[in-house]
Amino acid sequence: MTDLFSKIKEVTELHGVAGFEHDVRNHLRQKMTPLVDRVETDGLGGIFGIKDSKTADAPRIMVAAHMDEVGFMISDIKPDGTFRVVEIGGWSPLVVSAQRFTLHTQTGAKLPVISGSVPPHLMRGNGGATIPKVADVIFDAGFVDKTEAERFGVRPGDIIIPESETILTANKKNIISKAWDNRYGVLMVTELLEHLKGQELPNTLIAGANVQEEVGLRGAHVSTTKFDPELFFAVDCSPAGDVYGSQGKIGDGTLLRFYDPGHIMLKDMKDFLLTTAEEAGVKFQYYCGKGGTDAGAAHLKNGGVPSTTIGVCARYIHSHQTLYAMDDFLEAQAFLQAIVKNLDRSTVNTIKGY
């Protein structure tokens, strides 16, 4: 578990929002290159390692995480040196204020910044607190005015990313960090490729990560078109609803995500997943998603690509502090390994309804 925690800490403390995934991409390139036959990128910056199969007529299987986490972009620098922002990905206004962030300038500088909050002292007589819109939240790096901010290289379009240390909970079973959505997927891909090192597969495996998932599944459109897989497996993290009396309980294993607003799992894919989980002894839970994953974009490309999501759930995602179980990662990894090893031509044809 100590080794797994170290790997999780490494990937979750990386910084990368949509359009600025370079640090995560560099991490993936370094990890994947010794484990695959070649590494390729798409035009938006998605990166994939390819393991060719020696089997005749081998199916093409794509396993895709996404590199980007949620954050912000500076839209305006005010005369007093504070900033206003636009969201990069979905945020609840309830979790934005009074937090620490890192501002990344175009020149590569990393500057500390906080999101402002209104002290209760200033609310007296004003009818109490109101929830501000994200666009109205003040971001403050302590500059005396706009001129000083610009002298430090700050410009509109610079990105602001949550600053959070990855730590273990007291019982050593769970982790608290930012960005498990979706550095979970990034680590899933590198661990899968590490496990498959030197092994022959009955399929050509295309494994890596897309860009810009958090702003509309954009990277998946591009990569699925480029690599033309027969099946697509997103690896992504979903919100846990356990503390709210809903589906998704941390510690209860990987998710069988049978529905979300952008994707319905096909019957033959569901049959394959259930059989594979049973034979591999994988612990799983049924999950009805409220949001989407890259499977929602991929399954509509190239005449239709049967797709699904191999995921885990985590509490309080899209915030500075997400809480999740290490055991769930292990179950999901065992599931993904079993899936990839079982996808020969006959099985893929069955899933595709041939």
Side-chain angles (χ1 to χ4, degrees):
M1 283 301 185
T2 301
D3 184 49
L4 177 57
F5 171 73
S6 297
K7 292 176 179 178
I8 290 173
K9 183 176 178 68
E10 180 181 15
V11 295
T12 52
E13 291 185 354
L14 292 171
H15 283 191
V17 299
F20 297 82
E21 296 97 341
H22 42 280
D23 286 349
V24 186
R25 183 165 48 249
N26 292 341
H27 168 87
L28 273 166
R29 187 186 298 277
Q30 185 220 345
K31 295 289 185 181
M32 292 193 304
T33 298
L35 306 174
V36 296
D37 294 309
R38 62 192 180 278
V39 173
E40 294 186 18
T41 57
D42 61 45
L44 289 186
I47 186 167
F48 292 85
I50 301 171
K51 280 178 64 72
D52 292 314
S53 177
K54 296 179 180 178
T55 303
D57 194 30
R60 294 170 63 81
I61 307 302
M62 192 168 189
V63 175
H66 69 84
M67 291 177 264
D68 53 318
E69 62 187 291
V70 294
F72 300 93
M73 179 178 286
I74 294 178
S75 59
D76 189 24
I77 305 173
K78 296 297 184 181
D80 63 5
T82 63
F83 319 124
R84 302 301 182 270
V85 302
V86 293
E87 303 169 61
I88 307 296
W91 283 89
S92 164
L94 292 170
V95 302
V96 176
S97 296
Q99 300 288 345
R100 284 185 57 201
F101 297 82
T102 296
L103 191 167
H104 294 248
T105 71
Q106 188 66 28
T107 60
K110 298 179 181 180
L111 311 177
V113 63
I114 61 171
S115 51
S117 62
V118 181
H121 316 64
L122 302 183
M123 296 179 184
R124 293 171 185 159
N126 293 334
T130 59
I131 300 173
K133 297 178 181 178
V134 171
D136 295 329
V137 174
I138 295 168
F139 281 72
D140 194 340
F143 296 122
V144 297
D145 55 25
K146 181 177 181 179
T147 300
E148 185 178 46
E150 291 175 339
R151 194 161 66 244
F152 275 83
V154 181
R155 298 292 186 273
D158 288 344
I159 58 170
I160 293 175
I161 298 176
E163 187 64 41
S164 178
E165 180 187 4
T166 301
I167 59 172
L168 277 168
T169 56
N171 60 12
K172 310 301 182 185
K173 295 179 181 179
N174 303 316
I175 293 177
I176 299 170
S177 78
K178 71 171 182 66
W180 194 227
D181 176 16
N182 186 29
R183 303 299 155 66
Y184 150 76
V186 170
L187 185 58
M188 280 284 285
V189 166
T190 57
E191 288 293 281
L192 172 67
L193 292 174
E194 183 67 45
H195 173 78
L196 296 174
K197 184 178 181 180
Q199 297 185 39
E200 290 295 326
L201 293 173
N203 54 72
T204 290
L205 177 63
I206 306 153
N210 290 313
V211 297
Q212 300 193 37
E213 190 270 354
E214 296 291 2
V215 291
L217 318 182
R218 298 174 188 176
H221 288 277
V222 176
S223 65
T224 309
T225 302
K226 173 182 172 66
F227 292 105
D228 194 22
E230 294 182 57
L231 299 180
F232 179 95
F233 295 85
V235 277
D236 206 345
C237 175
S238 299
D242 50 1
V243 292
Y244 309 108
S246 301
Q247 282 182 327
K249 182 177 181 181
I250 66 169
D252 270 13
T254 189
L255 307 182
L256 189 76
R257 187 183 174 114
F258 55 87
Y259 170 91
D260 68 46
H263 181 264
I264 297 172
M265 187 188 293
L266 299 178
K267 178 189 179 301
D268 291 327
M269 175 69 83
K270 188 176 181 181
D271 289 344
F272 167 70
L273 293 181
L274 287 169
T275 299
T276 302
E278 181 180 355
E279 291 178 350
V282 169
K283 184 179 181 181
F284 73 90
Q285 53 186 309
Y286 289 95
Y287 189 84
C288 181
K290 303 298 190 296
T293 74
D294 276 340
H299 81 289
L300 299 176
K301 309 306 289 185
N302 305 350
V305 182
S307 302
T308 191
T309 302
I310 307 303
V312 295
C313 60
R315 295 173 183 166
Y316 326 121
I317 67 170
H318 286 215
S319 75
H320 279 65
Q321 310 295 345
T322 300
L323 194 150
Y324 48 93
M326 284 190 286
D327 281 349
D328 289 344
F329 177 87
L330 298 175
E331 294 293 336
Q333 179 63 207
F335 194 25
L336 184 59
Q337 290 176 16
I339 287 167
V340 169
K341 291 177 182 178
N342 284 334
L343 287 172
D344 56 17
R345 168 52 62 196
S346 175
T347 302
V348 170
N349 284 350
T350 298
I351 294 171
K352 293 170 69 176
Y354 290 0

